[in-house]
Amino acid sequence: MILIVVYVGAVAVLFLFVVMMLDINFVELRHGFLRYLPIGAADRHRPLVELLLVYSGWAPGAGAGSPWRRSR
């Protein structure tokens, strides 16, 4: 058990070392944040919309004679 704790600690230290070596400029990353905000919001809500469509029974082209039409 102690070996697992030591191994996980070593991996965490290596991860922090790599992150520190990257020297990421967070001010530059935040500069274009608002430009991509609408795309990110739409991409975030897409799975919720898809789940609602699946559970509501909606199917594309579910009109008369469509192969997607469910028999009742």
Side-chain angles (χ1 to χ4, degrees):
M1 180 66 181
I2 190 73
L3 289 176
I4 295 174
V5 173
V6 171
Y7 181 74
V8 169
V11 170
V13 168
L14 286 174
F15 176 75
L16 288 175
F17 178 73
V18 169
V19 169
M20 287 176 11
M21 291 298 292
L22 289 175
D23 195 25
I24 298 173
N25 188 359
F26 289 106
V27 174
E28 188 176 317
L29 286 176
R30 290 187 183 128
H31 180 68
F33 176 75
L34 290 177
R35 182 173 54 172
Y36 295 109
L37 186 63
I39 297 169
D43 201 35
R44 178 181 177 195
H45 291 96
R46 183 176 37 172
L48 177 64
V49 171
E50 290 177 358
L51 283 174
L52 289 173
L53 291 175
V54 166
Y55 285 120
S56 69
W58 180 83
S66 172
W68 293 99
R69 186 177 173 149
R70 291 198 283 173
S71 59
R72 296 185 193 236

